[in-house]
Amino acid sequence: MDTKKFVQLFGEVLAPDTARVKAATATLKSEYYTLPESLTILLQILVSEESLSLRQLAATQARSLVPKHWKALPDEQKPQIRQHILERTLAEEQQLVRHGEARVITAIAKIDLSDGDWPDLFDTLVQAAGSQTPRHREVGTYILFTSIEALEEDMSAKIPQLLDLFGKTINDPQSAEVKINSMLALSRIAILLDTEEDQASLKTIQDLIPQMVAVLKAAIDASDEDRTTQCFEVFQTLLGCDSAVLNKHFKDLVQFMTNIAADTEADEDARTQAISFLMQCVRFRKLKMQGLRVGEQLTLKCLEIVTEMGDADADDEEVTTGRSALALIDVLSESLPPSQVVVPLLQNLGPYVNSPDPDRRKAGILALGTCVEGAPDFINTQLHEIFPLVLRLFQDPEDKVRRAALDTIMRLAEDLAEDLGKEHAKLMPALVKHLDTAMKQLAGPEDTKNMDTIKACCNAIDALVDGLESDVLQGYLSELVPRMSKLFTHPDFKIKAAAIGALGAIAASSKEAFTPYFEQVMNALSDYVQIKDSEDELDLRCTTCDAMGAMALAVGAEPFQRYVRPLMEATEEALHLDHPKLRETSFLFWGNMAKVYKGEFKPFLEGVIKAIFESLESEESDLDVELGEEAADLVGKEVTIGGRKVKVSAFTDDELAAADDIEDLDGMEEDEDDDSDWADLQAVTAVAQEKEIAVEVVGDIVTHLTRDYIPYIEKTVEIILPMTEHSYEGVRRGAIGTLYRLYAAVWGLQPDEIQKWKPGLPLKQKPTDEVVKLGEVIATASLAVWSEEEDRATVTEINRNLAATLKLTGPSLISNPQNLTSLSKTVISFLNKQHTCQLDMGPLDTASSPDDLDPGVIESSEYDWLVIDTALDVIVSLSQVLGPSFAEFYKLIEKSVLRFASSSESYERSTAVGVLAECIRGMEASVTPYTSSLFKILIHRLQDEDAGVKSNAVFAIGLLIANSEDEREIGKNFNNVLAKLEPLLGEDEARTKDNAAGCVGRMISNYQDKVPLGAVLPALVSVLPLKEDWEENEAVWGCLVRLYSEGEPTILGLTPKMLPILEQVLGPPEEQLDAETREQVVQLVKFLYGKQPQLVKKYSGLMAVVNA
């Protein structure tokens, strides 16, 4: 090997000439780094070269080559090399180079120690770490840190000795670097520590936490940004360790971080990192944080921090303390119960939104908007108070306050479109006015303020119209369509996209009312489905195709017909333009065409399915992973990691380009064995996102072209079934959802007598063999994923799909005893908050205030509640498909459901009481053994402060009285129930009046002798016809028709009042009565005509029934 040429080339790598650098790099990699002698030369440069840059570069390259060439070096040279490198490192003054040299020592030690060589290294390092010379302590502690990191197995046995050492060095009186190194080492020991087996070491680490906090505080006070960052990284690492490590000091640590975040004198970087740590605490120690009840304090601290934002926009990408505080509010509202976050925020909002200081007004409205996504249900209950405030600030004299209010309007519209839409008469004119002002004042492409306002207004309108009925939106079309159309020609692509997206939403919500504008808009957009010369153009093409798909759904098949083929051709071309989002857009457009044209879409089906299958079967090899020269034998090859194929790259040219470009090796991520290179692969790939869309579109096509899709069913199941275990949760969700849709679609092809299933097992009607087999495959796969799924959104989606499919297809899906057992266990785990997706990283600390309570009674965040809420939907479906035999399952869940029915949160009580009602209905007479416990909770809930809870309770009581055979218990509670019903017949909220009427009907039908008809019937008739809950008409009219047939005097005397009610209930809308009840009421009218024709003749609607 030509040593002189090697050294010359190595020096060329630092040259300022890019061409020379690339040439030298290529030669080194191809001709020299493959030889063991290259490592020897690099090590010589490392210990003897005066140039810091060359030594630094040599350290980086030598570390990469040690695993490949160290064993090949002559054994007689190794002791001298070890000694020289260690001496050089101990004497090195430049920290970055020193750390590079230390990493080389660690790389050699990893090989030597496994071979029984370099036995005195550990003692040498311990001696150095305890030296009187600060530099030696710095080197010794750092190499020990890197050694613990790389040599876990060898170091585990030395943990007590290491803890003793670092317990001293963390208090080093002279060197901050020694303290930092000690912290880094302690964090790695915490990862290795078996906290159950080694309690003594656990206690030692716990006792060192306050000293580690002191090191962080000193770094912050000294404004030492690098060391501050390292300290924060240590605490982030400790947060990911066994919870026992931090539990003892967790509360104090959270308070310390909170104080840093709120300290306006501290460096912004330190404050944002403190907030980041608090966010991780909420995410990974949610129950612990909830138990400590720190949500209110954190929320209010963040609210104050947001006031520091000044004129900055909330959605800028730059990390600032104010934006970080908003992000923490977002996480808090999503993770903790409303009582700990949203309630205190609203209670303290007044001084901010009413302040003369615009920064405080802006902070208040931004914080409010940030909470919406995390707690939409609670925000909705307060919307009547929130909306006037938002609207007022939307008209604030300060532009930054108006912009913040607009941001909040957009968030409200995205999550509460239907409810916010009720305020359209005030909100839509304000949005249009705001849009007009910005468009009028727009000074050109540099006027980012007005351009941002235009985009925000378009986005807000986009979200708002989703909650408007078509007849309401029709009144705004003449204002909205021209304005949006005008923006189609704006030079800014993002403004064009915002306007086109908004118009697509307008079309989708206005439905047929959009038809007069359809041709004009399509002509204006036609060019945009062909553009492809830049990324901006391709992005705009995506938005345009999405909008056209929405327009097709709005105007229907015939008006859209002439555009179908050109757009199918354009979307097919889009698959080949190397733009992942455009591929997704094509699939979505095809799904919309299937919805619009159903069987008429068949000519395109073969090509569409071929393209989608190709996407679903494509390899996810679009990631390049740089693992350095140690992966040289894998360069250019693909390995499978986390379920996806990944291409491995070698050490990059940039890493060899210059010493200045070499990353700081202080961080732990630089070790060759660090998992970060692999952990990063968990990021979602573009291919995976495309598959998510593609698999969902398969569901759309199956649903709307079921018969035409039959030839593809077997292949579909074959492709999609393995995707239920994909590494990306979006693909898992889409795959499981589509499989259930496939089953439901195939179910609908069976004869009517099978589709009209009857409850109970064994099955009363057996489906076809093909359907049984398909159901078995889908149920087995989805239930297996369901029981172990960690992603809450995926679990929620499975719950919804399973509940809906059971209701549609009956018990056949769970007729296999194993599937029913699996389902039962999983549902019960949800109710007990013990499912994998509900578990925190650390156990709830019983020392914290509410932590000694049963986990089931701890408040849930709305996001957490969704899991339980949708699991309760599965229970309702089970009660329907199992019928009376559901009583056996109810026995297992009764305690949990009753617990939720007594929750402090009204939405939990309302849901649980509604579930009890459905369970009673499903069990029929089998509910009898539970009559007493049900009466107890339901009568109590009749006096609930929440109208929805009362409404569900009265509905449930009526069903209980109608189904239970426990006459003694019913008799004991009958008069009490009747007395409580009287005021409920006058309540208009949440269907209470209608449900109370239904309850009265059931009480009379089942226990007429216990009801004082003379008093009750006039009250019942006075609330008719039912206005909201038409399902209760069956109970009400069933009762009244029977009383007429018996000639009951009171109801006969009420006939003059009944006739106009009968005319209304038999009139439009027909959905008021089901077919059987309608027939009963029709016969009643004819009966009354026979008895009192003159009275009936006064009502033309009734005479039409008589003469029909």
Side-chain angles (χ1 to χ4, degrees), residues 253-283:
L253 186 58
V254 168
Q255 187 61 57
F256 173 74
M257 295 293 184
T258 304
N259 293 341
I260 294 174
D263 184 2
T264 55
E265 299 299 319
D267 290 343
E268 183 169 64
D269 189 57
R271 297 176 69 196
T272 58
Q273 290 188 77
I275 294 172
S276 176
F277 178 82
L278 292 169
M279 290 171 65
Q280 297 301 91
C281 288
V282 177
R283 286 193 177 107

Coordinates of all heavy atoms in Angstrom, one line a residue, residues 253-283:
L253 N -39.5 17.0 39.4 CA -38.9 17.2 38.1 C -39.9 18.0 37.1 O -39.5 18.9 36.4 CB -38.5 15.9 37.5 CG -37.7 15.9 36.1 CD1 -36.4 16.7 36.3 CD2 -37.4 14.5 35.7
V254 N -41.2 17.6 37.2 CA -42.2 18.2 36.3 C -42.3 19.7 36.8 O -42.4 20.6 35.9 CB -43.5 17.5 36.5 CG1 -44.7 18.4 35.9 CG2 -43.5 16.2 35.8
Q255 N -42.3 20.0 38.1 CA -42.3 21.3 38.6 C -41.1 22.1 38.1 O -41.2 23.3 37.7 CB -42.5 21.4 40.1 CG -42.7 22.7 40.7 CD -44.0 23.3 40.1 OE1 -45.1 22.8 40.3 NE2 -43.9 24.5 39.5
F256 N -39.9 21.5 38.2 CA -38.7 22.2 37.8 C -38.8 22.6 36.3 O -38.4 23.7 35.9 CB -37.5 21.3 38.1 CG -36.2 21.8 37.5 CD1 -35.5 22.8 38.1 CD2 -35.6 21.2 36.4 CE1 -34.3 23.3 37.6 CE2 -34.4 21.6 35.9 CZ -33.8 22.7 36.5
M257 N -39.2 21.6 35.5 CA -39.3 21.9 34.1 C -40.4 23.0 33.8 O -40.2 23.8 32.9 CB -39.7 20.6 33.3 CG -38.6 19.6 33.3 SD -37.1 20.1 32.5 CE -36.1 18.6 32.6
T258 N -41.4 23.0 34.5 CA -42.5 24.0 34.4 C -41.9 25.4 34.7 O -42.2 26.4 34.0 CB -43.7 23.7 35.3 OG1 -44.2 22.4 35.0 CG2 -44.8 24.7 35.1
N259 N -41.1 25.4 35.8 CA -40.5 26.7 36.1 C -39.6 27.2 35.1 O -39.5 28.4 34.8 CB -39.8 26.6 37.5 CG -40.8 26.3 38.6 OD1 -42.0 26.6 38.5 ND2 -40.2 25.8 39.7
I260 N -38.8 26.3 34.5 CA -37.9 26.7 33.4 C -38.7 27.3 32.2 O -38.4 28.3 31.7 CB -37.0 25.6 33.0 CG1 -36.1 25.1 34.1 CG2 -36.2 26.0 31.7 CD1 -35.3 23.9 33.7
A261 N -39.7 26.5 31.9 CA -40.5 27.0 30.7 C -41.1 28.3 30.9 O -41.3 29.1 30.0 CB -41.7 25.9 30.5
A262 N -41.5 28.6 32.2 CA -42.2 29.9 32.4 C -41.2 31.1 32.7 O -41.6 32.2 32.8 CB -43.1 29.7 33.6
D263 N -39.9 30.8 32.9 CA -38.9 31.8 33.2 C -38.5 32.6 32.0 O -37.8 32.2 31.1 CB -37.7 31.1 33.8 CG -36.6 32.0 34.3 OD1 -36.9 33.3 34.2 OD2 -35.6 31.6 34.8
T264 N -39.0 33.8 32.0 CA -38.8 34.7 30.8 C -37.3 35.1 30.8 O -36.9 35.7 29.7 CB -39.7 35.9 30.8 OG1 -39.5 36.6 32.1 CG2 -41.1 35.5 30.7
E265 N -36.5 35.0 31.9 CA -35.1 35.4 31.9 C -34.3 34.3 31.3 O -33.1 34.5 30.9 CB -34.7 35.7 33.3 CG -35.4 36.8 34.0 CD -35.3 38.1 33.2 OE1 -34.1 38.4 32.8 OE2 -36.2 38.9 33.1
A266 N -34.8 33.0 31.2 CA -34.0 31.9 30.7 C -33.9 32.0 29.2 O -34.7 32.6 28.5 CB -34.6 30.6 31.1
D267 N -32.8 31.3 28.6 CA -32.7 31.3 27.2 C -33.9 30.6 26.5 O -34.4 29.6 27.1 CB -31.4 30.5 26.8 CG -30.1 31.3 27.1 OD1 -30.3 32.5 27.3 OD2 -29.1 30.7 27.2
E268 N -34.3 31.0 25.4 CA -35.4 30.5 24.7 C -35.2 29.0 24.4 O -36.2 28.2 24.5 CB -35.7 31.2 23.4 CG -37.0 30.7 22.7 CD -37.5 31.6 21.6 OE1 -36.7 31.7 20.6 OE2 -38.6 32.1 21.7
D269 N -34.0 28.6 24.0 CA -33.8 27.2 23.7 C -34.0 26.3 24.9 O -34.6 25.2 24.8 CB -32.3 27.0 23.2 CG -32.1 25.7 22.6 OD1 -32.8 25.3 21.7 OD2 -31.2 25.0 23.1
A270 N -33.6 26.7 26.1 CA -33.8 26.0 27.3 C -35.3 25.9 27.6 O -35.8 24.8 28.0 CB -33.1 26.6 28.5
R271 N -36.0 26.9 27.4 CA -37.4 26.9 27.7 C -38.2 26.0 26.8 O -39.1 25.2 27.2 CB -38.0 28.3 27.6 CG -37.4 29.3 28.6 CD -37.9 30.7 28.4 NE -39.3 30.8 28.7 CZ -40.1 31.8 28.4 NH1 -39.6 32.8 27.6 NH2 -41.4 31.8 28.7
T272 N -37.8 26.0 25.5 CA -38.5 25.2 24.5 C -38.2 23.7 24.8 O -39.1 22.8 24.6 CB -38.1 25.5 23.1 OG1 -36.7 25.4 22.9 CG2 -38.6 26.9 22.7
Q273 N -37.0 23.4 25.2 CA -36.6 22.0 25.6 C -37.4 21.6 26.8 O -37.7 20.4 26.9 CB -35.1 21.9 25.7 CG -34.4 22.0 24.4 CD -32.9 21.7 24.5 OE1 -32.6 20.5 24.5 NE2 -32.1 22.7 24.5
A274 N -37.5 22.5 27.8 CA -38.3 22.1 29.0 C -39.7 21.8 28.6 O -40.3 20.8 29.1 CB -38.3 23.3 30.0
I275 N -40.3 22.6 27.7 CA -41.7 22.3 27.3 C -41.7 21.0 26.5 O -42.7 20.2 26.7 CB -42.2 23.5 26.4 CG1 -42.3 24.8 27.2 CG2 -43.5 23.1 25.7 CD1 -42.6 26.0 26.4
S276 N -40.7 20.7 25.7 CA -40.7 19.4 25.0 C -40.7 18.3 26.0 O -41.3 17.3 25.8 CB -39.4 19.4 24.1 OG -39.3 18.1 23.5
F277 N -39.9 18.4 27.0 CA -39.9 17.3 28.1 C -41.2 17.2 28.7 O -41.7 16.0 28.9 CB -38.8 17.7 29.1 CG -38.8 16.7 30.3 CD1 -38.0 15.5 30.1 CD2 -39.5 16.9 31.4 CE1 -38.0 14.6 31.1 CE2 -39.4 16.0 32.5 CZ -38.7 14.8 32.3
L278 N -41.9 18.3 29.0 CA -43.2 18.2 29.6 C -44.2 17.5 28.6 O -45.1 16.7 29.0 CB -43.7 19.6 30.0 CG -43.0 20.2 31.1 CD1 -43.4 21.7 31.2 CD2 -43.3 19.5 32.4
M279 N -44.1 17.8 27.3 CA -44.9 17.1 26.3 C -44.7 15.6 26.4 O -45.7 14.8 26.3 CB -44.6 17.6 24.9 CG -45.1 19.1 24.7 SD -44.5 19.8 23.1 CE -45.4 18.7 22.0
Q280 N -43.4 15.2 26.5 CA -43.2 13.8 26.5 C -43.7 13.1 27.8 O -44.2 12.0 27.8 CB -41.6 13.5 26.4 CG -41.0 14.0 25.1 CD -41.6 13.3 23.9 OE1 -42.6 13.8 23.3 NE2 -41.1 12.1 23.6
C281 N -43.7 13.9 28.9 CA -44.3 13.4 30.1 C -45.7 13.1 30.0 O -46.3 12.1 30.4 CB -44.1 14.4 31.3 SG -42.4 14.6 31.9
V282 N -46.4 14.0 29.3 CA -47.9 13.9 29.1 C -48.1 12.7 28.2 O -49.1 11.9 28.4 CB -48.5 15.2 28.5 CG1 -50.0 14.9 28.2 CG2 -48.3 16.3 29.5
R283 N -47.3 12.5 27.2 CA -47.5 11.4 26.2 C -47.2 10.0 26.8 O -48.0 9.1 26.7 CB -46.6 11.6 25.0 CG -47.1 12.7 24.1 CD -46.4 12.6 22.7 NE -46.8 13.6 21.8 CZ -46.1 14.7 21.4 NH1 -44.9 14.9 21.9 NH2 -46.6 15.5 20.5

